[in-house]
């Protein structure tokens, strides 16, 4: 999957990812032996294999040169090379490399997790799954001449192996990539080399796979004796960095800025990070007050959510910082807070806790839907350059007040659930969509107004019998990090080129997205994030030095000016340190998706607690479900172990078991291909995430994620669980088996990708349903804020008739029909969905919709308008709106169309099926055909009435035939049905 265009980095800085990385994929400097052509020039490959962790009595190499045949299994026996290593030299002929696996000759194999090893030419090492390029048995420095012992730190780069490429003064360079270094302690590698009569050497380092540190092209000048190289700093005559260190006796500084705020009987405590001579590893939070006595809690972040407290009770919080040695700071200044009353139960009549399949979903970008309060509108730093200012169309325009005011419009369409984009405080230059989360514990003030808070929206929706599904992001934060967890400091200079971008400093300022800085008249964007002076403990190299590159405008670019995974600006514990290389590989779950999406290390307990605590807050507010962004980029085992149980437990605690059962979680698993399994990878296929794990893994979440990925990938698509939960047993409904359900439902990506026409979507959807735990919960849509069918970058433009047919299928087939705002009038059809800040929003698929909603509207029921005036009355009179209203009324009246299982057995017809739902006194059986005619055989005898025309057919021989109703039309014959529902319209007649 390629990441959506909705997340754009600031246009003048597009070159940053290439120029600020510490280590580039490059060759050594000009006076080193070049990398290009080194391996390709060889006609052989010498393969070294590490045996210590295998303990095999013999090792065989089973291989095939590129374009050639495999050896006969088990392959050729490898010979002893040196301690812990065996080797084999392979004649490649004209090939440039080979595919290889290893085994012990007795059926135990190492095949690189089922993908084989791709090895090049020259000297290659394979050690515990890591491929590198050096001779592990080369001279280790035991001669009689001068010697150099070199220590190299990979703590910043995160390399899993290191090579030393060197040339003694007056001598020749080693063959690329050099000699392998030995891991001697965490983050340090060592190699001793003979210099002969020379007293110095030139050196460069690499990871064996083309990534180099050549001292910015200058190579390193090292002397004899012991030298350390860390973050491009050379220390001659250095002490052994792996020797025992003096004990750490210095305590961290006392945490400051401790605040505690209460919402009902929950309290959120936050504070500013403490500092330490090494590092703060945790905080001790002490709570006093109430009847519970003193409670001490270890916290990994600088935010803590304390819940379930007593009503109207004063509690006091203090915080201490602790380092790895156990040194503890003095306690902070106390922060008292008094709780309020326990939040009331959900208002009577709200749909909270009901079966989500009953509720069709209307999806809105809140900031682009309806502007109820112009005082919170914000254009952002790209308001002028994007063209939005010229249209008087700030990116943050719609808000909760506008959405509350137009809930009746959504209800009048017939929808009883509203999916809204993320509500947390965002931080970027173009963040109206909500996917650049910065403070996950705070609702973005650009969405709220007096009397129209997020809580007010939830309450207002519930009062109308409508659910709120909140879009949530667990995978990433904004590029500026996550407040309360970690925020980076970047280099910024307010010179003549960059003063437009770097806001002025304002001591004590706390970014909220809304506040305007009086000197510039702009909203604060990064004034509190940049510094010209290098911060203490900085790990980004060459702070503030020009990179040598220029922005598209010709502006000088500086090192450490832009957050990235490879710059060292983010701690490994909390954030991943790489860019995705293979979107269907394991790294898609452990690397950054895009420049402005800082990828959380979701296998870290502190990160997990930060996110769980944040989303507990919104569960407590009464939201009815979560749409999970980028779910595929977090390991399933992490979802199943941590996040999904946390959601279920919180809803159970707050609202009870029935509400937890129906709290609707549906994930975005971006499988943008037209087959059942995403390029054959089960870990990257949507249905995979609906299942629990099938075996136990390591208690360590990071290790478990790797093991789970490898285990399931090796089992492959043919060994995944299957389900009959969506299918009728003949004509009978059966109780679904949800015992292996993970807790996450899915967006039906396969139908979405194939909705070029309804028939194609229908056929593909059916083909995948046996591998989903229960496909009747699939969220089905044609297009969205990201893509149209077939990964189109434009909003659907198949025509009104095609839209009517799509809707007829979606509202009667299994799954939950979902509509992206404005599609009811083909709003912005054919327009590019998102072009970032390079064009005005008014010309995109995310245009402002409010002009079509001006006026007043009152809904008397779902799908029924009591009154409408102004432009919204014109909107409600459009043909697809009429079609949609009647579809919603029909679906709401027939339980089989909401929650029923389905079958096509005994049915002829292109889009024809039968559905049934049985529960207690309810027994709903429906025969459906969309557009074309159909014949149903083997069905129960009885009286069937069409919900569209009112036509009655009596079945006595188990057969019913239906003439083709026409494009966009359908027939729904219901056994003992309610009769005709609604009046004839432009399509349903």
């Amino acid at each position: 999957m390629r990441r959506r265009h909705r997340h754009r980095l600031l246009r003048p800085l597009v070159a940053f990812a290439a120029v600020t990385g510490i280590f580039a994929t490059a060759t050594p400097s000009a006076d080193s032996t070049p990398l290009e052509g080194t391996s390709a020039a060889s006609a052989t490959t010498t393969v070294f294999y590490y045996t210590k962790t295998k303990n095999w009595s013999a090792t065989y190499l089973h291989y095939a040169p590129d374009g050639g045949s495999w050896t006969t299994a088990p392959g050729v026996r490898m010979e002893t090379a040196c301690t812990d290593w065996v080797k084999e030299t392979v004649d490649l002929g004209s090939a440039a490399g080979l595919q290889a696996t290893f085994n012990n000759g007795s059926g135990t194999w190492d095949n690189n997790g089922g993908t084989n090893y791709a090895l090049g030419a020259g000297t290659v090492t394979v050690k515990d799954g890591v491929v590198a390029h050096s001779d592990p048995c080369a001279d280790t420095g035991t001669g009689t001449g001068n010697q150099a012992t070199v220590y190299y730190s990979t703590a910043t780069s995160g390399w899993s192996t290191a090579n030393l490429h060197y040339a003694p003064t007056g001598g020749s360079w080693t063959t690329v990539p050099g000699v392998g270094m030995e891991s001697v302690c965490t983050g340090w590698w060592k190699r001793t080399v003979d210099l002969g009569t020379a007293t110095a050497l030139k050196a460069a380092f690499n990871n064996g796979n083309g990534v180099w540190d050549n001292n910015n092209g200058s190579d390193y000048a090292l002397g004899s004796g012991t030298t350390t190289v860390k973050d491009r700093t050379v220390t001659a005559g250095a002490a052994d960095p792996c020797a025992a260190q003096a004990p750490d006796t210095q305590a961290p500084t006392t945490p400051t800025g401790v605040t505690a705020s209460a919402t009902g009987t929950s309290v959120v405590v936050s504070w500013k990070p403490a500092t330490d001579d090494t590092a703060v590893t945790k905080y001790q939070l002490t709570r006093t007050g109430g009847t519970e006595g003193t409670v001490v809690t270890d916290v990994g972040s600088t935010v803590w959510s304390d819940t379930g407290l007593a009503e109207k009770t004063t509690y006091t919080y203090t915080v201490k910082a602790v380092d790895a040695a156990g040194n503890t700071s003095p306690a902070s200044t106390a922060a008292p807070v008094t709780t309020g009353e326990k939040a009331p139960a959900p208002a009577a009549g709200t749909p909270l806790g009901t079966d989500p399949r009953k509720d069709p979903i209307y999806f809105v970008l809140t900031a682009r839907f309806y502007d109820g309060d112009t005082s919170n509108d914000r254009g952002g730093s790209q308001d002028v350059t994007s063209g939005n200012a010229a249209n008087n169309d700030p990116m943050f325009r719609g808000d909760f007040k506008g959405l509350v005011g137009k809930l009746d419009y959504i209800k009048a369409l017939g929808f009883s659930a509203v999916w809204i984009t993320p509500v947390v405080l965002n931080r970027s230059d173009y963040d109206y969509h909500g996917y650049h989360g910065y403070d996950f514990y705070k609702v973005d003030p650009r969405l709220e107004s007096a009397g129209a808070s997020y809580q007010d929206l939830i309450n207002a929706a519930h009062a109308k019998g409508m659910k709120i599904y909140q879009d949530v992001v667990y995978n990433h934060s904004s590029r500026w990090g996550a407040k309360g967890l970690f925020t980076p400091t970047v280099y910024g200079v307010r010179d003549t080129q960059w003063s437009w971008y770097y806001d002025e400093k304002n001591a004590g300022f706390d970014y909220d997205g809304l506040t305007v800085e009086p000197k510039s008249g702009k909203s604060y964007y990064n004034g509190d994030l940049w510094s010209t002076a290098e911060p203490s403990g900085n790990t980004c190299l060459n702070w503030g030095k020009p990179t040598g590159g220029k922005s598209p405008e010709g502006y000088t670019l500086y090192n450490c000016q832009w957050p990235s995974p490879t710059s060292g600006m983010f701690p490994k514990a909390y954030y991943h340190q790489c860019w995705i290389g293979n979107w269907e590989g394991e790294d898609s779950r452990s690397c950054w998706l895009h420049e402005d999406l800082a990828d959380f290390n979701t296998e870290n307990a502190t990160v997990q607690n930060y996110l769980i605590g944040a989303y507990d807050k919104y569960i407590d507010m009464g939201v009815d479900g979560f749409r999970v962004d980028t779910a595929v980029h977090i390991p399933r085992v992490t979802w199943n172990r941590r996040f999904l149980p946390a959601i279920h437990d919180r809803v159970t605690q707050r609202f009870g078991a029935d509400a937890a059962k129906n709290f609707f979680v549906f994930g975005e698993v971006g499988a943008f291909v037209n087959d059942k399994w995403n390029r054959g990878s089960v870990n990257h296929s949507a249905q995979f995430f609906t299942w629990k794990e099938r075996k136990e893994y390591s208690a360590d979440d990071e290790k478990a994620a790797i093991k789970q990925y490898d285990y399931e990938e090796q089992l492959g698509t043919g060994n995944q669980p299957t389900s009959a939960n969506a299918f009728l047993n003949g004509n009978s409904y059966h109780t679904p088996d949800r015992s292996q359900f993970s807790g996450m439902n899915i967006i039906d990506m396969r139908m979405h990708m194939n909705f070029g026409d309804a028939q194609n979507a229908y056929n593909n959807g059916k083909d995948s349903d046996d591998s989903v735990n229960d496909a009747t919960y699939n969220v089905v849509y044609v297009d969205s804020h990201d893509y149209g069918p077939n990964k189109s970058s434009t909003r659907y433009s198949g025509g009104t008739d095609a839209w009517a047919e799509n809707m007829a299928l979606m509202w009667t087939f299994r799954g939950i029909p979902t509509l992206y705002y404005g599609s009811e009038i083909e709003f912005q059809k054919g327009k590019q969905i998102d072009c970032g800040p390079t064009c005005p929003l008014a010309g995109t698929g995310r245009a402002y919709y409010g002009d079509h909603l001006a006026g007043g509207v009152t809904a008397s029921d779902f799908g029924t308008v009591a009154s409408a005036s102004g432009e919204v009355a014109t909107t409600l009179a459009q043909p697809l709106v009429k079609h949609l209203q009647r579809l919603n009324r029909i679906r709401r009246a027939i339980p089989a169309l909401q929650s029923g299982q389905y079958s096509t057995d005994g049915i002829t017809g292109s889009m024809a099926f039968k559905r049934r739902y049985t529960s207690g006194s309810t027994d709903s059986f429906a025969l459906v055909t969309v557009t074309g005619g159909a014949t149903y055989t083997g069905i129960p005898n009885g009286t069937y009435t069409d919900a569209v025309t009112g036509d009655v057919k009596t079945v006595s021989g188990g057969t019913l035939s239906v003439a083709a109703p026409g494009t966009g039309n359908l027939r729904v014959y219901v056994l003992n049905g309610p009769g005709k529902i609604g009046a004839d319209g432009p399509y349903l007649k």
Side-chain angles (χ1 to χ4, degrees):
M1 182 183 87
R2 292 297 183 264
R3 187 56 189 157
R4 308 181 270 264
H5 292 163
R6 73 177 181 209
H7 305 298
R8 293 288 182 143
L9 96 150
L10 187 65
R11 185 170 61 88
L13 306 179
V14 291
F16 275 32
V19 299
T20 60
I22 302 173
F23 305 102
T25 303
T27 61
S29 63
D31 56 354
S32 308
T33 303
L35 182 62
E36 287 88 291
T38 300
S39 60
S42 174
T44 63
T45 294
T46 299
V47 181
F48 288 85
Y49 186 73
Y50 185 69
T51 62
K52 185 174 183 179
T53 53
K54 298 296 184 183
N55 293 318
W56 291 346
S57 59
T59 304
Y60 290 79
L61 171 66
H62 181 46
Y63 69 91
D66 293 346
S69 302
W70 284 87
T71 55
T72 301
V76 294
R77 183 164 180 167
M78 305 181 74
E79 64 180 88
T80 300
C82 57
T83 303
D84 300 329
W85 289 93
V86 293
K87 71 176 182 178
E88 178 65 26
T89 299
V90 177
D91 185 352
L92 294 176
S94 61
L98 69 153
Q99 292 280 313
T101 64
F102 303 87
N103 66 90
N104 67 350
S106 300
T108 301
W109 289 79
D110 172 8
N111 59 7
N112 194 26
T115 59
N116 301 332
Y117 290 97
L119 307 180
T123 301
V124 181
T125 63
V126 180
K127 180 179 181 180
D128 297 335
V130 177
V131 177
H133 302 268
S134 62
D135 184 350
C137 303
D139 173 48
T140 57
T142 58
T144 57
N146 295 325
Q147 292 185 336
T149 298
V150 181
Y151 288 89
Y152 182 71
S153 171
T154 57
T156 300
S157 68
W159 290 352
S160 58
T161 187
N163 296 306
L164 170 64
H165 179 49
Y166 72 96
T169 302
S172 300
W173 283 89
T174 54
T175 301
V176 172
V179 295
M181 304 184 77
E182 176 189 2
S183 177
V184 285
C185 61
T186 302
W188 284 98
W189 300 75
K190 173 185 176 183
R191 185 78 190 208
T192 299
V193 298
D194 289 330
L195 301 178
T197 59
T199 59
L201 68 155
K202 279 193 170 184
F205 303 89
N206 65 86
N207 72 346
N209 287 297
V211 181
W212 286 81
D213 173 12
N214 56 17
N215 195 25
N216 280 337
S218 301
D219 297 324
Y220 290 96
L222 310 179
S224 58
T226 300
T227 304
T228 60
V229 181
K230 181 177 182 181
D231 294 340
R232 298 203 177 112
T233 298
V234 175
T235 304
D240 181 352
C242 296
Q245 301 294 316
D248 178 9
T249 58
Q250 181 174 329
T253 60
T254 303
T256 59
V258 182
T259 62
S261 59
T263 301
T265 55
S266 296
V267 171
V268 174
V269 187
S270 64
W271 56 94
K272 295 181 179 179
T275 59
D276 187 58
D277 59 331
T278 54
V280 175
T281 57
K282 66 178 181 180
Y283 295 90
Q284 287 183 349
L285 180 76
T286 300
R287 183 189 77 206
T288 57
T291 60
E292 302 91 345
T294 300
V295 178
V296 179
T297 304
D298 287 344
V299 181
S301 64
T302 58
V303 175
W304 179 250
S305 179
D306 204 3
T307 60
L309 302 174
E311 293 183 288
K312 299 179 181 179
T313 301
T314 298
Y315 293 91
T316 301
Y317 295 85
T318 58
V319 184
K320 298 178 181 179
V322 184
D323 65 17
N327 299 308
T328 304
S329 75
S332 69
T333 301
V337 63
T338 301
T339 58
E341 294 181 354
K342 187 176 181 180
T350 65
L352 183 64
T354 58
D355 188 335
R357 294 173 295 181
K358 295 181 178 181
D359 302 301
I361 303 170
Y362 192 73
F363 171 35
V364 302
L365 272 71
T366 308
R368 308 301 301 158
F369 188 63
Y370 192 78
D371 193 0
D373 179 3
T374 58
S375 70
N376 58 14
D377 292 357
R378 291 293 182 271
S381 66
Q382 300 296 287
D383 193 34
V384 174
T385 57
S386 66
N388 288 337
N391 293 329
N392 193 25
D393 184 27
M395 62 173 185
F396 259 100
R397 188 172 179 182
D399 45 40
F400 294 146
K401 186 173 183 179
L403 186 52
V404 168
K406 297 304 176 183
L407 285 175
D408 265 37
Y409 168 76
I410 299 172
K411 185 171 183 176
L413 295 177
F415 293 95
S416 50
V418 185
W419 157 17
I420 61 173
T421 40
V423 304
V424 304
L425 175 62
N426 267 229
R427 189 160 197 168
S428 84
D429 58 304
Y430 217 62
D431 57 3
Y432 64 94
H433 42 62
Y435 298 95
H436 294 163
Y438 172 69
D439 188 345
F440 286 68
Y441 285 77
K442 182 181 180 67
V443 175
D444 200 308
R446 290 168 289 189
L447 297 175
E448 294 195 304
S449 308
S453 66
Y454 186 35
Q455 186 67 67
D456 291 327
L457 168 64
I458 296 168
N459 294 346
H462 286 176
K464 293 181 182 293
M466 302 169 70
K467 294 181 177 180
I468 294 293
Y469 294 151
Q470 178 179 329
D471 209 321
V472 295
V473 184
Y474 287 77
N475 171 249
H476 59 264
S477 71
S478 73
R479 67 171 73 93
W480 306 115
K483 183 181 179 183
L485 183 70
F486 176 80
T487 56
T489 299
V490 301
Y491 175 79
V493 56
R494 300 194 80 248
D495 59 15
T496 56
Q497 295 181 336
W498 290 108
S499 60
W500 67 274
Y501 177 69
Y502 293 104
D503 297 332
E504 293 192 51
K505 291 286 187 181
N506 189 334
F509 174 73
D510 190 18
Y511 171 84
D512 64 7
L514 191 66
T515 302
V516 174
E517 189 268 319
K519 292 183 180 179
S520 67
K522 299 177 180 178
S523 299
Y524 267 99
Y525 172 47
N526 58 13
D528 56 330
L529 293 172
W530 64 269
S531 172
T532 52
E534 183 171 359
S536 175
N538 173 58
T539 58
C540 185
L541 302 182
N542 299 311
W543 177 268
K545 295 179 181 178
T547 66
K550 300 287 185 180
S551 76
E553 294 83 357
Y555 297 168
T556 298
L557 300 177
Y558 300 91
N559 282 301
C560 311
Q561 194 177 7
W562 195 253
S564 76
T566 57
S567 63
M569 300 173 79
F570 288 84
K572 293 180 184 178
Y574 299 159
Y575 284 90
H576 289 134
Q577 308 285 303
C578 52
W579 298 106
I580 289 179
N582 179 4
W583 287 82
E584 275 75 42
E586 197 285 324
D587 61 337
S588 72
R589 309 181 312 160
S590 55
C591 298
W592 285 34
L593 303 173
H594 198 269
E595 290 91 340
D596 49 10
L597 306 179
D599 198 83
F600 283 130
N601 177 9
T602 51
E603 285 61 68
N604 176 275
T606 299
V607 174
Q608 293 167 358
N609 289 336
Y610 177 84
L611 293 169
I612 290 169
Y615 290 126
D616 280 352
K617 169 180 177 177
Y618 305 107
I619 291 172
D620 290 351
M621 293 173 74
V623 295
D624 303 281
F626 287 158
R627 180 269 186 182
V628 180
D629 183 70
T630 54
V632 69
H633 298 293
I634 294 176
R636 185 181 75 177
V637 69
T638 305
W639 283 116
N640 285 346
R641 279 184 174 186
R642 308 301 176 199
F643 297 133
L644 294 173
I647 293 170
H648 181 273
D649 292 348
R650 186 64 168 202
V651 179
T652 302
Q653 174 192 2
R654 180 67 181 84
F655 299 111
D658 287 342
K661 175 184 175 183
N662 290 315
F663 186 90
F664 191 45
V665 179
F666 58 107
E668 176 211 25
V669 180
F672 300 127
V673 292
N674 294 329
D675 49 10
K676 183 172 183 175
W677 297 96
N678 186 15
R679 295 185 176 91
S681 172
V682 296
N683 282 282
H684 296 85
S685 300
Q687 60 267 39
F688 182 75
F689 286 80
T690 65
W691 296 93
K692 289 182 177 179
E693 302 307 327
R694 293 186 279 175
K695 68 186 299 280
E696 292 293 327
Y697 299 101
S698 167
D700 181 288
D701 284 354
E702 188 169 351
K703 292 179 181 178
I706 298 296
K707 291 293 185 183
Q708 178 258 352
Y709 182 91
D710 290 341
Y711 175 75
E712 295 290 353
E713 212 69 356
Q714 289 179 29
L715 285 176
T717 60
N719 293 296
Q720 294 301 310
T722 58
S723 169
N725 285 340
F727 308 121
L728 291 173
N729 183 4
N731 292 314
S732 300
Y733 178 87
H734 61 92
T735 302
D737 178 7
R738 305 271 282 170
S739 62
Q740 296 306 307
F741 175 53
S742 65
M744 182 182 290
N745 300 286
I746 54 172
I747 293 170
D748 198 320
M749 280 290 171
R750 195 171 181 198
M751 287 193 74
H752 165 47
M753 284 291 101
N754 286 280
F755 249 121
D757 66 83
Q759 181 71 62
N760 198 36
Y762 171 68
N763 291 339
N764 278 273
K766 288 192 303 176
D767 182 50
S768 292
D769 286 352
D770 64 344
S771 64
V772 181
N773 183 272
D774 191 341
T776 65
Y777 288 85
N778 285 9
V779 170
V780 181
Y781 57 63
V782 173
D783 62 359
S784 72
H785 61 323
D786 289 326
Y787 293 113
N790 298 311
K791 207 179 179 182
S792 165
S793 62
T794 60
R795 288 192 74 157
Y796 182 74
S797 58
T800 310
D801 289 352
W803 254 124
E805 186 176 54
N806 291 341
M807 291 178 181
L809 175 64
M810 292 162 60
W811 262 256
T812 55
F813 188 46
R814 60 94 185 116
I816 302 171
T818 300
L819 198 71
Y820 184 39
Y821 80 99
S823 293
E824 63 271 23
I825 61 169
E826 298 179 84
F827 180 61
Q828 299 297 89
K829 63 181 179 180
K831 296 294 181 66
Q832 185 175 354
I833 293 172
D834 173 33
C835 59
T838 62
C839 71
L841 282 165
T844 72
R846 299 177 178 179
Y848 177 65
Y849 193 56
D851 293 340
H852 297 277
L853 302 178
V857 56
T858 301
S860 56
D861 201 349
F862 292 102
T864 304
V865 179
S867 63
S869 61
E871 187 60 32
V872 70
T874 302
T875 300
L876 288 166
Q878 298 307 302
L880 283 179
V881 171
K882 297 298 184 183
H883 183 56
L884 183 63
Q885 289 172 317
R886 193 171 183 208
L887 283 171
N888 268 316
R889 293 176 65 186
I890 290 172
R891 189 178 188 274
R892 292 183 70 85
I894 303 170
L897 302 184
Q898 302 166 24
S899 309
Q901 296 162 343
Y902 77 96
S903 173
T904 58
D905 293 344
I907 302 173
T908 62
S910 57
M911 285 187 285
F913 45 89
K914 53 188 175 183
R915 299 190 66 185
R916 191 169 204 156
Y917 177 70
T918 306
S919 178
S921 60
T922 298
D923 185 9
S924 177
F925 184 73
L927 307 175
V928 179
T929 184
V930 178
T931 298
T935 297
Y936 305 82
T937 61
I939 61 173
N941 292 330
T943 301
Y944 291 79
T945 305
D946 179 22
V948 177
T949 64
D951 179 53
V952 177
K953 292 183 182 293
T954 300
V955 175
S956 59
T959 299
L960 185 150
S961 293
V962 182
T967 301
N969 202 352
L970 77 157
R971 297 291 178 257
V972 184
Y973 280 89
V974 183
L975 181 61
N976 302 318
K980 182 176 180 178
I981 300 169
D984 289 353
Y987 290 99
L988 296 183
K989 52 189 176 183

